[in-house]
Amino acid sequence: MSDADTAAKQRGIITTLFLDHPANVNESYFGHMRFALGFAFWLGVAALAALVHALVPALCETTASRILKRLHARIENRH
């Protein structure tokens, strides 16, 4: 296998791993990263709110569900 073949195969792997999915949702790699990191952040906040609520039921009564509803709406509005 030549160096050109190896380079083409590596580009194919990189494209598959990093570029195909963002392109399928009409985003750049970094745009998709920003969206996914923001989503992960709010999922973490919801998880912490649910944990607080589990320990002290009077706290954060609707926080996790409100965050999840907002995230669901963001996903639905993207497609």
Side-chain angles (χ1 to χ4, degrees), residues 48-64 66:
L48 288 175
L51 178 63
V52 168
H53 179 70
L55 298 173
V56 184
L59 299 177
C60 302
E61 291 181 44
T62 61
T63 305
R66 279 186 293 117

Side-chain angles (χ1 to χ4, degrees), residues 33-52:
M33 179 190 288
R34 181 174 181 255
F35 182 87
L37 288 173
F39 205 88
F41 171 80
W42 286 110
L43 285 173
V45 172
L48 288 175
L51 178 63
V52 168

Side-chain angles (χ1 to χ4, degrees), residues 1-13:
M1 190 181 297
S2 72
D3 288 340
D5 291 338
T6 302
K9 189 177 241 184
Q10 288 174 341
R11 276 193 303 277
I13 292 169

Side-chain angles (χ1 to χ4, degrees), residues 56-77:
V56 184
L59 299 177
C60 302
E61 291 181 44
T62 61
T63 305
S65 60
R66 279 186 293 117
I67 291 170
L68 293 176
K69 286 176 187 176
R70 192 174 340 128
L71 290 175
H72 182 262
R74 284 182 67 191
I75 288 291
E76 289 296 313
N77 291 331

